[in-house]
Amino acid sequence: MPLHVPPAPAPALRSVLAALGSPTAVRAARTPSLKALQGQPTPVSPLPVYVLDQITALGGRPRTRLTGWRFLIRGAEPGAAAAAETMLTPDGWAFSHFFEGPYVASTERALRQAESLTTAYQPRLLSVPELYMVTLWLHGDHVADPSSCRSAPGDLLVPLAPAPPGIAAHRPHRVADLLPVLTHRLTPTPLLGSPA
């Protein structure tokens, strides 16, 4: 079943197009693949980016917040060469930066895998900064407003490569199953001799 990709906010897309059209912005970016791109660079696959923080074992609920929109950047060759990210400012959506690296190809791979699922999902990206981890978040409410940060019971998280040790990349996990693993990873172990 196809993924239901939400439309990116028009100002976010305009800011990326303006940055791609600016020789200064492209030249200043630390993305050799973007500079070497053949053909017109085109932003594709807009995905809302959320951050998951305040993960603790104390029974509190982690907080998820929308922080930006990410666009994969393609040229004449197949596959994305880089990505562009926007951020929300007091004045609205603005271009943040270009980047390249393993998460670009890993995002494309995860999106292709998700296209073969039988359930409709809304694709999102979920970053867990405390673990240096990014996942493709397949939101079960495929018509939800992207500004909604709440997970649904059927949501899946697909860790992108490189994933933290012990967490398999590109393997879908239910949110309810993966969250305890992340919580355990972030809970400090008591030192020997310290009170329990």
Side-chain angles (χ1 to χ4, degrees), residues 73-134:
I73 307 296
R74 287 199 179 131
E77 302 89 15
E85 194 145 323
T86 64
M87 63 183 180
L88 190 56
T89 69
D91 295 325
W93 292 101
F95 172 75
S96 174
H97 62 282
F98 292 115
F99 68 94
E100 60 183 43
Y103 286 132
V104 174
S106 188
T107 300
E108 276 195 312
R109 177 182 170 187
L111 287 169
R112 280 193 309 273
Q113 287 175 315
E115 282 284 347
S116 67
L117 297 173
T118 57
T119 305
Y121 289 103
Q122 182 186 93
R124 301 170 167 197
L125 291 173
L126 181 66
S127 172
V128 186
E130 296 160 295
L131 289 175
Y132 303 100
M133 178 180 179
V134 178

Side-chain angles (χ1 to χ4, degrees), residues 30 34 49 55 57 76 90-91 95 100 102 119 133 151 155 160 177 188:
R30 295 183 179 161
L34 182 61
V49 179
I55 304 172
D91 295 325
F95 172 75
E100 60 183 43
T119 305
M133 178 180 179
S151 62
D155 286 5
L160 301 181
D177 297 335

Side-chain angles (χ1 to χ4, degrees), residues 47-53 55 62-68 70 85 103 107 122-139 148-151 155-160 162 164 173-176 178-179 182:
L47 296 170
V49 179
Y50 303 81
V51 170
L52 180 69
D53 52 21
I55 304 172
R63 187 170 74 119
T64 305
R65 56 192 167 86
L66 177 65
T67 59
R70 185 173 297 171
E85 194 145 323
Y103 286 132
T107 300
Q122 182 186 93
R124 301 170 167 197
L125 291 173
L126 181 66
S127 172
V128 186
E130 296 160 295
L131 289 175
Y132 303 100
M133 178 180 179
V134 178
T135 70
L136 177 64
W137 174 8
L138 298 173
H139 189 47
S148 164
C149 299
R150 298 184 62 91
S151 62
D155 286 5
L156 298 176
L157 296 178
V158 182
L160 301 181
H173 302 270
R174 294 222 175 272
V175 171
L178 188 58
L179 197 54
L182 302 180

Side-chain angles (χ1 to χ4, degrees), residues 3-86:
L3 295 175
H4 294 266
V5 180
L13 178 57
R14 279 195 305 270
S15 72
V16 169
L17 291 170
L20 285 169
S22 164
T24 306
V26 172
R27 225 181 4 260
R30 295 183 179 161
T31 52
S33 61
L34 182 61
K35 295 174 195 170
L37 195 65
Q38 298 297 313
Q40 179 66 33
T42 306
V44 297
S45 303
L47 296 170
V49 179
Y50 303 81
V51 170
L52 180 69
D53 52 21
Q54 297 180 356
I55 304 172
T56 66
L58 302 175
R61 188 166 176 89
R63 187 170 74 119
T64 305
R65 56 192 167 86
L66 177 65
T67 59
W69 280 80
R70 185 173 297 171
F71 299 81
L72 298 179
I73 307 296
R74 287 199 179 131
E77 302 89 15
E85 194 145 323
T86 64

